[in-house]
């Protein structure tokens, strides 16, 4: 039985942690070690916008220790990721370079959507419990140092996910002066948090009943696990949570640290986290609360095992990304029929051209998301659909996609109807590389052709056969409908497609008897 030893390193807002796992197809994931070091990088970032030299030196020393531990365990692979504390700094590139030079460790800065997706995968690593819970209406509430992510599931499908910049460490720093001037700090916290959560409830919950809540975030996980009796499952009722909440708000952070054996730095984050959780539980009326106790490091290991085909999940994570995009499309009232028809045509063309375009499974997903979102700008301005769609996509996080991937999608959509720009124009002010530019061109070329075939939005091309014949991509359509409009507008889109792939797409209508 082949075993892979993997290390997941999480550089967070208030601590740096590393978990080492054994991964095998037979036994799944088994944790070997968990090393943690308290380091409040977020305290620098959220107040000054940059990390101090002292904290950066301390971080490098910690990572050197982690590297020695990895060598002792003979780790086969690792992934080191940083979240908002480094992501929001003004000098992020200099920080990453210094870490690499000093420690030999390459640190990847995750976008918020990537971070939360991996955190969500960490929960999914407890597969049986996770699948059972999300069959019913369930919310995952992930409280980090800088923000809170709320993801809603129903019948095993992701309904929506939203990020609010009211994380525990950010709240603590913003209200540091207030805490010393009031005896009712929990009430002040509740007032601050309430306005943000009210807006979320109005937009996304409405009359929806949430049955279960999955709470993640190390601050409170430790608190609850210290409280839980030995052997007791990390599941509690609403009543049990409220009893614990009342117990916590009646004592000081110093007393919390002493009573529950927590570091003082963690204890000061307990109250903001608890108030966030309590407010959400009250607003939703949820009765069952689950604390899996996993973090980003578990998600990194699970993701690595999946990608290397060591672990197999019964949950379709790619479908969650697609569903998130569909919910955005629905929010901006895109034509469901047109989107479905264009998606079918675009993916059919993609699959038939694998030997030509050189793109893989991930690029196919980016094309699919581009199709789903290409019309959302009509909600804002029907005369500037492409530009408005671009702005919506760039302003909207899509769980599971990196900022770079979202930028590729946004540009592919923008040039669906506009003349394709040069690399210099597209990459100005962004981090896009030449390979990304080529990918944008390929996705946009397929999107243009597929969209042109449903220009009337009547889904005339329901039965399509696509074949490659020398220098032609023949799209044979079986329909009795009049496709004069589609044929007439097709040539312009076909020209760009031919420029990109050196293949000319042509429409042919199957003769009717």
């Amino acid at each position: 039985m082949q075993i892979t030893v993997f290390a997941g390193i999480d550089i967070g807002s208030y601590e740096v942690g590393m978990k080492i796992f054994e991964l095998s197809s037979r036994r799944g994931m088994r944790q070997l070690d968990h090393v943690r070091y308290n380091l409040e990088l977020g305290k620098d970032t959220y107040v000054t916008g940059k990390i101090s030299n002292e904290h950066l030196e301390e971080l490098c020393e910690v990572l050197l220790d982690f590297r020695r531990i990895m060598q002792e365990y003979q780790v086969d692979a690792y992934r080191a990721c940083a979240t908002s504390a480094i992501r929001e700094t003004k000098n992020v590139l200099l920080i990453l370079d210094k870490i690499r030079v000093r420690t030999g460790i390459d640190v990847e800065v995750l976008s918020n959507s990537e971070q939360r997706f991996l955190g969500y995968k960490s929960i999914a690593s407890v597969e049986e419990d996770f699948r059972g819970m999300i069959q019913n209406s369930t919310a995952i509430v992930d409280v980090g140092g800088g923000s809170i992510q709320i993801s809603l599931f129903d019948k095993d499908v992701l309904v929506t996910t939203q990020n609010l910049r009211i994380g525990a460490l950010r709240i603590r720093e913003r209200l540091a002066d207030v805490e010393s001037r009031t005896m009712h700090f929990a009430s002040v916290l509740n007032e601050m948090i309430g306005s943000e959560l009210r807006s979320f409830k109005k937009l996304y919950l409405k009359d929806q009943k949430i049955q279960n809540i999955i709470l993640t975030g190390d601050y409170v996980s430790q608190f609850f696990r210290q409280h839980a009796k030995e052997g007791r499952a990390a599941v509690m009722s609403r009543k049990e949570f409220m009893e614990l909440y009342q117990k916590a708000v009646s004592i000081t952070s110093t007393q919390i640290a002493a009573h529950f054996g927590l570091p003082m730095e963690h204890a000061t984050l307990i109250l903001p986290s608890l108030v966030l959780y309590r407010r959400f539980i009250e607003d939703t009326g949820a009765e069952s609360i689950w604390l899996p106790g996993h973090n980003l490091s578990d998600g990194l290991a699970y993701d690595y095992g999946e990608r290397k085909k060591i672990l197999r999940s019964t949950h379709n994570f790619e479908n969650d990304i697609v569903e998130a995009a569909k919910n955005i499309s629905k929010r901006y009232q895109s034509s469901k029929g047109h989107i479905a028809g264009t998606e079918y045509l675009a993916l059919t063309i993609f699959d038939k051209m694998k030997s030509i375009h050189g793109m893989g499974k991930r690029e196919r997903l980016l094309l699919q998301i581009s199709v789903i979102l290409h019309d959302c700008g009509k909600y804002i301005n029907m005369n500037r659909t492409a530009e408005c769609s671009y702005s919506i996509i760039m302003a909207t996080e899509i769980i599971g996609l990196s900022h770079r991937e979202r930028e590729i999608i946004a540009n592919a959509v923008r040039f669906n109807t506009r003349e394709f720009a040069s690399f210099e124009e597209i990459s100005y002010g962004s981090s896009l590389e030449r390979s990304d530019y080529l990918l944008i061109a390929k996705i946009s070329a397929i999107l243009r052709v597929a969209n042109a075939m449903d220009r009337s939005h009547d889904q005339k091309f329901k039965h399509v056969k696509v074949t490659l014949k020398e220098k032609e991509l023949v799209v044979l359509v079986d329909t009795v409908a009049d496709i004069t409009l589609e044929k007439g507008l097709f040539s312009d889109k076909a020209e760009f497609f031919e420029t990109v792939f050196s293949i000319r797409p042509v429409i042919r209508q199957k003769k009717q008897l």
Side-chain angles (χ1 to χ4, degrees):
M1 178 179 63
Q2 186 175 358
I3 294 175
T4 299
V5 181
F6 177 85
I9 299 174
D10 174 12
I11 303 173
S13 299
Y14 74 100
E15 77 168 21
V16 186
M18 177 176 71
K19 288 186 179 182
I20 296 177
F21 299 89
E22 276 187 353
L23 305 177
S24 70
S25 54
R26 188 172 170 184
R27 295 181 181 174
M29 276 174 58
R30 186 169 76 92
Q31 184 178 310
L32 301 179
D33 203 352
H34 185 191
V35 188
R36 311 172 74 157
Y37 184 86
N38 296 326
L39 182 59
E40 290 199 350
L41 298 175
K43 190 173 183 179
D44 287 343
T45 302
Y46 306 143
V47 175
T48 67
K50 59 183 180 179
I51 293 173
S52 66
N53 287 329
E54 292 77 15
H55 274 155
L56 185 53
E57 288 294 328
E58 195 174 354
L59 173 60
C60 288
E61 289 299 322
V62 172
L63 292 176
L64 282 169
D65 285 339
F66 283 4
R67 187 177 178 182
R68 285 190 284 271
I69 294 168
M70 286 194 286
Q71 289 170 345
E72 290 172 7
Y73 276 99
Q74 299 181 3
V75 165
D76 298 300
Y78 79 90
R79 188 176 177 189
C81 292
T83 54
S84 62
I86 288 182
R87 182 172 65 235
E88 295 183 23
T89 57
K90 298 173 183 176
N91 55 343
V92 60
L93 294 178
L94 293 174
I95 290 171
L96 297 181
D97 183 67
K98 186 169 184 178
I99 292 172
R100 182 184 59 78
V101 172
R102 282 283 312 280
T103 70
I105 293 177
D106 286 312
V107 175
E108 175 187 352
V109 179
L110 298 174
S111 66
N112 179 69
S113 55
E114 290 176 299
Q115 174 191 342
R116 304 304 179 170
F117 195 58
L118 287 165
Y120 154 44
K121 280 195 171 185
S122 75
I123 304 168
S125 65
V126 192
E127 190 147 318
E128 187 175 338
D129 293 337
F130 175 72
R131 279 189 59 79
M133 189 160 281
I134 64 172
Q135 293 302 318
N136 299 314
S137 186
T138 299
I140 298 177
V141 183
D142 180 6
V143 174
S147 64
I148 175 174
Q149 190 82 17
I150 304 171
S151 304
L152 304 180
F153 286 83
D154 195 19
K155 296 181 176 63
D156 201 23
V157 172
L158 179 66
V159 176
T160 189
T161 182
Q162 296 295 320
N163 182 259
L164 309 176
R165 289 168 66 86
I166 49 171
L169 186 54
R170 197 187 297 272
I171 290 171
R172 191 194 72 183
E173 293 307 309
R174 285 173 65 183
L175 297 180
D177 293 336
V178 177
E179 185 174 10
S180 61
R181 299 199 304 267
T182 179
M183 297 291 291
H184 306 286
F185 187 51
S187 298
V188 176
L189 283 171
N190 187 57
E191 186 178 346
M192 177 185 175
I193 291 163
S195 62
E196 296 282 352
L197 290 183
R198 272 195 300 272
S199 298
F200 174 84
K201 183 179 180 182
K202 183 178 180 181
L203 289 170
Y204 301 105
L205 286 180
K206 296 181 181 177
D207 298 325
Q208 187 174 354
K209 169 69 175 175
I210 302 295
Q211 296 182 30
N212 309 306
I213 290 184
I214 302 173
L215 301 183
T216 64
D218 281 346
Y219 322 109
V220 179
S221 293
Q222 293 177 78
F223 174 76
F224 282 123
R225 289 182 180 281
Q226 288 282 344
H227 171 81
K229 296 176 182 177
E230 189 175 348
R232 181 180 175 182
V235 177
M236 62 178 62
S237 67
R238 174 194 177 95
K239 181 182 177 183
E240 288 174 308
F241 177 91
M242 292 304 175
E243 287 173 355
L244 260 181
Y245 172 82
Q246 291 301 329
K247 186 175 182 180
V249 299
S250 65
I251 59 178
T252 66
S253 296
T254 304
Q255 291 172 314
I256 289 175
H259 185 76
F260 293 100
L262 297 172
M264 187 60 191
E265 294 87 348
H266 292 189
T268 59
L269 297 168
I270 291 292
L271 188 56
S273 301
L274 278 174
V275 172
L276 278 165
Y277 289 139
R278 184 195 69 85
R279 186 63 189 249
F280 193 80
I281 289 167
E282 281 193 339
D283 285 353
T284 59
E287 292 294 338
S288 178
I289 298 145
W290 179 37
L291 297 105
H294 288 197
N295 62 18
L296 181 63
S297 295
D298 298 88
L300 293 173
Y302 191 78
D303 181 68
Y304 178 84
E306 258 200 320
R307 286 189 288 106
K308 296 296 181 181
K309 298 187 177 0
I310 302 170
L311 305 176
R312 291 190 178 182
S313 173
T314 55
H315 183 76
N316 188 338
F317 292 101
E318 190 173 285
N319 187 58
D320 289 328
I321 301 173
V322 173
E323 287 299 321
K326 285 182 177 178
N327 280 306
I328 295 168
S329 178
K330 182 180 178 182
R331 190 188 316 158
Y332 291 101
Q333 299 181 18
S334 296
S335 168
K336 187 175 180 180
H338 171 63
I339 295 300
T342 307
E343 181 183 354
Y344 163 70
L345 293 166
L347 297 182
T348 301
I349 291 169
F350 181 98
D351 293 340
K352 291 295 181 179
M353 289 184 60
K354 286 180 181 178
S355 61
I356 303 295
H357 57 55
M359 294 185 283
K361 185 179 178 182
R362 189 67 179 183
E363 289 76 20
R364 188 182 190 272
L365 175 65
L366 299 185
L367 169 64
Q368 187 175 8
I369 304 302
S370 300
V371 173
I372 293 169
L373 298 178
H374 81 275
D375 249 5
C376 60
K378 284 184 177 177
Y379 183 85
I380 297 173
N381 190 321
M382 294 187 69
N383 293 322
R384 301 182 67 245
T385 300
E387 287 296 332
C388 292
S389 296
Y390 171 87
S391 298
I392 287 170
I393 295 166
M394 290 304 297
T396 308
E397 285 192 332
I398 303 171
I399 193 166
L401 297 182
S402 67
H403 177 82
R404 168 189 155 270
E405 289 176 323
R406 205 164 77 243
E407 203 167 358
I408 288 168
I409 291 167
N411 276 292
V413 167
R414 179 163 56 153
F415 294 107
N416 172 41
T417 54
R418 281 184 52 185
E419 183 179 351
F420 202 73
S422 66
F423 169 70
E424 288 72 23
E425 289 177 273
I426 291 178
S427 63
Y428 181 78
S430 78
S431 57
L432 291 173
E433 299 177 356
R434 292 186 181 275
S435 58
D436 299 324
Y437 175 75
L438 295 175
L439 180 55
I440 292 167
K442 291 177 181 181
I443 292 175
S444 189
I446 296 174
L447 173 60
R448 287 183 184 201
V449 166
N451 191 38
M453 287 193 284
D454 191 32
R455 186 63 182 83
S456 65
H457 287 216
D458 288 333
Q459 294 82 60
K460 298 174 185 177
F461 295 10
K462 292 179 181 177
H463 304 287
V464 173
K465 183 178 180 181
V466 180
T467 55
L468 276 171
K469 292 184 178 180
E470 297 180 352
K471 293 294 182 179
E472 284 189 339
L473 180 76
V474 179
V475 181
L476 183 64
V477 296
D478 184 4
T479 180
V480 294
D482 183 353
I483 60 171
T484 305
L485 174 64
E486 284 72 18
K487 280 187 173 182
L489 297 174
F490 193 73
S491 59
D492 180 49
K493 310 298 183 182
E495 187 176 333
F496 180 68
F497 189 97
E498 187 175 16
T499 300
V500 174
F501 297 113
S502 300
I503 296 288
R504 183 78 179 181
V506 295
I507 297 177
R508 290 182 185 159
Q509 189 170 10
K510 189 175 181 180
K511 292 180 180 179
Q512 303 296 320
L513 297 177

